[in-house]
């Protein structure tokens, strides 16, 4: 269950990209080994910049620590560059580029065939196309060639635009479903009178629906040029070979002779508070306060960004203390939006039911403009700075994240900002942070949900010109990243490198899967699993298992919630607890030196939770808000309806799916005493397993396990919760979702089989070909040709323990397209069952699935997760190898037979949640 505000906020926090900067002079003497027309500019900590004669900027950051490669092609164009009547063009082009070219008529399908995790994104400053794939020279070669072809030969045809238009409308409607997204957009529109940052990236509906194909092509040819682009390659690849391919593919593209349109619109300094009120159906109250800030490349922005995080820190920050701790809000947030030109910071609070939104807004404004800045201290700065630097390090050590971070920095003015910001954050003082916040967090510089007359307004300063020169001089050039040995990701090699054993302890055994290996930054990922009790023992426990796990990070003997967070920050580690029935999973990320200390902390939290009353009340408020928000969500409505349909469980069974009212009643029943009783009864040793992957000392891990578990009582005997197959009567549910522009479709077919069934590999592939990728029958028929859905697909599951599985179909669409989509879904299924798949489709699908499996095995967190599951099932990666071998041998006849044997459209139970009276 995710906090709705967090989910909504994640939709709004698109990276703020886009920039063109002067081409740097090439070194006096180019490296002889470089291809003709390619010039090395500078190298900083393993990131090397090159320039082609046509102006293309190339950043290469090789890293062999993971067997994966990431490629980003970033065009310095976004919604900021759109003129009157052109809003939404940048985003439309992002869609249309995937529609293909004469050479590549369906790019998304080709990505799926090659196992690329690929997509695109558009922001106010940047359009970014990216792909991550298992490190493979042939795949890199193909993808670079596709990017070069897309830069020059994208089709941009009227037929493609017409087919994609309903998809774009559906994407608009998904945003319109969110009150938070709509409030953010309206506040931004009020805050910016002249600058295009006040417009939605997706554009005005009227502009998007009436755009002409020729203006769209002109926009494409103007901005999709080598001198306006940065190509970024990170991860496992050969830099010399990559440069050769880049020179071959991009070198022949001529430097354009056009000049980009000048940008001279400057938003005037705001001279008075502005306000917006939004009223619509569903959700809970939200208060926002937005302030203009300088551009991301400035020193002032760095101080303001850190200051915003300090103000909104949970639970120590002034906003949390003023609103959440006093019962005015269930959660608060705050962030500075990094942008190429002067941007903004936004702070907000989600108001809990029964609280006064105007009082909460007044408290929010008061905390920002009156007393909050003065309450910031050195400890708060040290906490946020440490967390920021830890995140920076994690980004640097993960090739995919590094590619995105460099792309963001390009958008903000210079890729070296990624390294400059680290220098700036290290150099920050508390006085600087306070001074910048005091200068910009002013009533006259605020746009919020309330108008406040101000007798003596004080204007914020105009942003000063940016000079990066002094910071650039401080960067060390010519530095490389530490070398990390390559790791063999073949399944049997993983088995050979893993130490499996059972640690025998007086209070019960611990099953171990330990895979020590070199990693970037010495990182290690671990999962500890604890099982307790059985279905009968858990009868009537309601939300107690979930709430007990959720409270573990909120206080323990001798440690407050803040002290736990500070300890994790100090250890540069991540820790989370999740409960599923009678299983608690503890996920950890640390490094070689600190993992033993993290294990000590984990066992302290597991054995001595404090369950503080105030934190429990905050958890309950958060749960109530979350449940009430989800109650009107179409996605929740279809999911909950089908989970409840014909379920065999009694209401007091832990496997029972409750109604919204029942969940709220269970929240009300939670108490400190109840959680203490649950913990005392069920938590303990007896059924434990641990998987660790990465850079760690196995002997240290075993020693900390012995110490951490010594003397802990044994939990009630664990028995896996049975999840047997049960018959589900086919039924169609039409669920009203008034006021929601977006609708949801979901269908479920129970399957009586387990993953040892001989048909399982064929069934996996059949599902992949039906709805598992952008080359699937559902995607091609409903999204590409029909234009009815922004997202459509299918999933199939089978238990390793019992004959119990399910086939699930899903789609989102505009409310007015609900009936058409349901008909189209049935038509695709009927046609697929009739025609089946060809051997060519089967072979291509198998290769794609194998590529995705290989990509997963290149990720240490994935390996740890798989090992913890394999310990439960007494399997190893040899199981995956046998599955791979079975997939490789599949024939079309086997796949078609398995599909026709198990996929019965008439047996589907279907739920559609849509506005019964949608607006056109």
């Amino acid at each position: 269950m995710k906090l709705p505000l967090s989910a909504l906020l994640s939709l709004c926090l698109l990276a703020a990209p886009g920039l063109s900067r002067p081409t740097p002079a090439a070194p006096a003497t180019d490296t002889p080994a470089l291809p003709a027309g390619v010039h090395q500019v500078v190298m900083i900590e393993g990131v090397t910049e090159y320039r082609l004669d046509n102006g293309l900027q190339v950043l290469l950051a090789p890293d062999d620590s993971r067997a994966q490669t990431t490629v980003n092609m970033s065009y310095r164009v976004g919604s900021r560059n759109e003129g009157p009547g052109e809003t939404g063009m940048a985003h439309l082009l992002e869609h249309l580029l995937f529609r293909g070219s004469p050479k590549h008529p369906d790019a998304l399908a080709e990505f799926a065939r090659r196992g690329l995790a690929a997509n695109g994104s558009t922001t106010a400053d940047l359009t970014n196309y990216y792909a991550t794939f298992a490190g493979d020279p042939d795949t890199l070669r193909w993808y670079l060639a596709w990017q070069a072809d897309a830069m020059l030969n994208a089709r941009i045809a009227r037929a493609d635009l017409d087919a994609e238009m309903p998809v774009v409308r559906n994407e608009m409607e998904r945003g319109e479903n969110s009150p938070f997204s709509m409030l953010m957009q309206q506040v931004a529109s009020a805050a910016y009178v002249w600058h295009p940052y006040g417009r939605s990236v997706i554009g005005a509906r009227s502009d998007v629906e009436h755009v002409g194909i020729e203006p769209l092509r002109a926009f494409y040819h103007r901005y999709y040029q080598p001198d306006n682009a940065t190509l970024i390659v990170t991860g496992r690849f050969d830099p010399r070979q990559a440069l050769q391919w880049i020179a071959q593919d991009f070198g022949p593209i001529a430097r354009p002779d056009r000049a980009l349109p000048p940008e001279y619109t400057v938003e005037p300094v705001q001279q008075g508070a502005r306000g917006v009120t939004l009223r619509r159906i569903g959700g809970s109250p939200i208060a926002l306060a937005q302030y203009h800030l300088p551009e991301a490349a400035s020193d002032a922005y760095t101080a303001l960004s850190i200051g915003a995080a300090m103000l909104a820190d949970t639970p120590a920050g002034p906003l949390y203390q003023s609103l959440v701790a006093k019962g005015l809000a269930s959660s608060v947030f705050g962030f500075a939006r990094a942008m190429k030109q002067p941007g903004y910071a936004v702070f907000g609070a989600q108001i809990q039911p029964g609280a006064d939104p105007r009082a909460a807004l007044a408290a929010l404004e008061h905390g920002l403009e009156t007393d909050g800045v003065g309450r910031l201290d050195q400890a708060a700065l040290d906490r946020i700075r440490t967390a920021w630097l830890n995140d920076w390090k994690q980004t640097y050590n993960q090739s995919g994240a590094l590619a995105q971070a460099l792309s963001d920095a390009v958008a903000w003015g210079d890729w070296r900002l990624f390294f400059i910001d680290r220098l700036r954050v290290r150099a920050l003082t508390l006085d600087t942070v306070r001074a910048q916040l005091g200068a910009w967090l002013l009533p006259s510089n605020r746009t919020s949900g309330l108008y406040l007359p101000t007798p003596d307004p004080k204007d914020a300063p105009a942003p000063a010109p940016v000079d990066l020169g002094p910071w650039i001089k401080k960067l060390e050039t010519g530095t490389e990243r530490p070398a990390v040995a390559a790791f063999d990701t073949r399944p049997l090699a993983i088995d050979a490198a893993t130490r499996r054993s059972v640690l025998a302890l007086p209070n019960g055994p611990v099953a171990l899967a330990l895979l020590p290996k070199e990693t970037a930054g010495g990182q290690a990922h671990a999962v500890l699993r604890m099982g307790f009790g059985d279905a009968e023992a858990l009868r009537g426990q309601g939300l107690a298992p979930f709430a007990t796990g959720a409270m573990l990070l909120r206080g323990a003997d001798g440690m407050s919630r803040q002290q736990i967070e500070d300890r994790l920050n100090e250890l540069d580690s991540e820790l989370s607890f999740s409960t599923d029935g009678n299983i608690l999973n503890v996920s950890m990320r640390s490094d070689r030196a600190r993992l033993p200390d993290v294990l000590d902390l984990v066992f302290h939290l597991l054995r001595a939770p404090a369950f503080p009353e105030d934190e429990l009340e905050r958890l309950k408020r958060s749960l109530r808000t979350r449940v009430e928000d989800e109650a009107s969500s179409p996605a929740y409505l279809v999911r909950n309806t089908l989970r409840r349909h014909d379920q065999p469980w009694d209401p007091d069974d832990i496997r029972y799916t409750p109604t919204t009212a029942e969940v709220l009643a269970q929240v009300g029943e939670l108490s400190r005493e109840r959680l203490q009783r649950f913990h005392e009864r069920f938590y303990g040793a007896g059924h434990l397993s641990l998987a660790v992957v990465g850079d760690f000392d196995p002997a240290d891990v075993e020693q900390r396990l012995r110490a951490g578990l010594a003397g802990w009582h044994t939990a009630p005997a664990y028995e896996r919760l049975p999840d047997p197959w049960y018959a589900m009567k086919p039924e169609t549910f039409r669920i009203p979702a008034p006021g929601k522009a977006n609708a949801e479709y979901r269908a479920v077919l129970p399957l009586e089989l387990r993953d040892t069934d001989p048909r399982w590999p064929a069934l996996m592939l059949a599902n992949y070909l039906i709805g598992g990728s952008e080359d699937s029958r559902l995607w091609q028929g409903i999204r590409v040709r029909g234009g009815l859905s922004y997202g459509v697909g299918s999933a199939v599951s089978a238990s390793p323990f019992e004959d119990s599985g399910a086939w699930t179909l899903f789609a989102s669409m505009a409310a007015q397209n609900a009936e058409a989509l349901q008909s189209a879904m049935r038509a695709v299924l009927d046609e697929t069952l009739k025609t089946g798949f060809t051997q060519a489709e089967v072979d291509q699908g198998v290769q794609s699935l194998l590529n995705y499996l290989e990509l997963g095995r290149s990720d240490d967190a994935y390996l740890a997760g798989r090992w913890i599951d394999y310990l439960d099932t007494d399997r190893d990666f040899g199981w995956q190898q046998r599955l791979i071998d079975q997939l490789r041998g599949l024939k079309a006849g086997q796949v078609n037979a398995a599909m026709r044997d198990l996929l019965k459209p008439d047996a589907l139970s279907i739920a559609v949640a849509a506005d019964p009276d949608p607006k056109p």
Side-chain angles (χ1 to χ4, degrees), residues 640-890:
N640 185 260
T641 297
L642 290 176
R643 285 178 178 173
R644 289 182 51 75
H645 177 46
D646 278 346
Q647 65 172 326
W649 316 117
D650 297 329
D652 61 351
D653 193 294
I654 192 67
R655 293 161 291 186
Y656 173 76
T657 298
T659 65
T660 299
E662 289 169 333
V663 174
L664 290 172
Q666 290 178 11
V667 172
E669 293 168 357
L670 294 175
S671 67
R672 183 172 186 267
E673 292 73 19
R674 184 175 183 188
L675 298 190
Q676 285 176 321
R677 289 197 304 270
F678 184 89
H679 176 267
E680 291 168 1
R681 177 181 177 188
F682 288 103
Y683 275 44
H687 187 88
L688 292 169
S689 53
L690 175 69
V692 189
V693 178
D695 196 344
F696 68 98
D697 184 339
D700 279 352
V701 168
E702 291 193 15
Q703 188 273 329
R704 295 304 174 98
L705 280 175
R706 293 180 185 275
L709 291 168
W712 200 16
H713 69 266
T714 302
Y718 165 78
E719 182 180 319
R720 190 188 66 84
L721 297 177
D723 184 23
W725 175 89
Y726 59 87
M728 182 183 289
K729 179 183 177 182
E731 191 168 343
T732 298
F733 302 89
R734 304 200 180 278
I735 310 163
K740 300 295 185 182
N742 192 64
E744 291 286 334
Y745 167 99
R746 195 172 185 88
V748 174
L749 173 64
L751 300 177
E752 194 172 4
L753 86 164
R754 70 180 70 187
D755 65 5
T756 55
D757 191 294
R759 298 168 295 178
W760 175 240
L763 196 63
M764 281 180 60
L765 185 64
N767 172 74
Y768 185 76
L769 296 175
I770 289 173
S773 78
E774 289 85 355
D775 194 29
S776 67
R777 296 290 181 90
L778 289 175
W779 183 276
Q780 292 291 321
I782 292 176
R783 190 193 193 282
V784 176
R785 291 190 294 274
L788 292 172
S789 174
Y790 182 76
V792 59
S794 65
V796 69
S797 63
S799 169
F801 301 102
E802 56 212 338
D803 292 345
S804 177
W807 210 323
T808 306
L809 309 169
F810 49 86
S812 64
M813 60 282 181
Q816 60 267 28
N817 290 336
E819 291 294 333
L821 185 136
Q822 187 174 344
S823 298
M825 186 77 73
R826 180 59 187 260
V828 171
L829 295 180
D830 288 343
E831 179 65 17
T832 303
L833 287 167
K834 177 182 176 182
T835 62
F837 303 108
T838 66
Q839 189 61 47
E841 288 178 288
V842 167
D843 292 343
Q844 183 60 64
V846 166
Q847 188 57 53
S848 181
L849 273 180
L850 297 184
N851 288 343
Y852 283 123
L853 286 172
E854 185 179 356
L855 179 60
R857 296 194 303 275
S858 71
D859 184 82
D860 289 351
Y862 167 89
L863 293 177
R866 292 284 64 72
W867 269 125
I868 205 71
D869 289 338
Y870 285 157
L871 289 174
D872 276 353
T873 55
D874 196 26
R875 291 175 176 174
D876 54 24
F877 277 86
W879 163 264
Q880 190 174 113
Q881 183 60 60
R882 289 187 290 276
L883 180 63
I884 290 170
D885 294 339
Q886 291 171 317
L887 286 169
R888 283 178 172 152
L890 282 177

Side-chain angles (χ1 to χ4, degrees), residues 188-263:
S189 297
Y192 288 94
V193 177
W194 303 108
H195 197 278
Y197 280 169
R199 301 191 306 239
S200 168
V201 171
I202 205 167
R205 181 181 288 267
S206 57
D207 286 0
V208 172
E209 291 180 343
H210 296 92
V211 64
I213 196 66
E214 290 307 320
L216 200 56
R217 284 179 183 150
F219 194 90
Y220 164 69
H221 290 301
R222 183 184 312 135
Y223 290 105
Y224 279 55
Q225 296 285 356
D227 65 342
N228 195 46
T230 299
L231 176 63
I232 303 169
V233 186
T234 64
R236 184 177 293 184
F237 66 97
D238 182 344
R240 290 181 179 274
Q241 183 63 77
L243 281 175
Q244 291 287 346
W245 290 334
I246 291 168
Q248 292 170 17
D249 293 333
F250 293 90
I253 302 176
R255 179 189 285 269
D257 56 9
R258 59 90 181 91
L260 291 174
E263 297 182 63

Side-chain angles (χ1 to χ4, degrees), residues 96-149:
L96 290 182
L97 220 69
F98 290 121
R99 281 281 176 174
S101 66
K103 185 176 181 181
H104 300 283
D106 191 341
L108 288 176
E110 295 190 58
F111 293 165
R113 295 182 195 120
R114 288 171 172 80
L116 277 73
N119 212 328
S121 64
T122 308
T123 69
D125 298 310
L126 196 80
T127 307
N128 187 32
Y129 301 88
Y130 51 93
T132 296
F133 45 89
D136 174 62
D138 292 340
T139 304
L140 176 59
R141 179 72 186 93
W142 181 88
Y143 188 74
L144 290 172
W146 176 78
Q147 284 286 8
D149 181 62

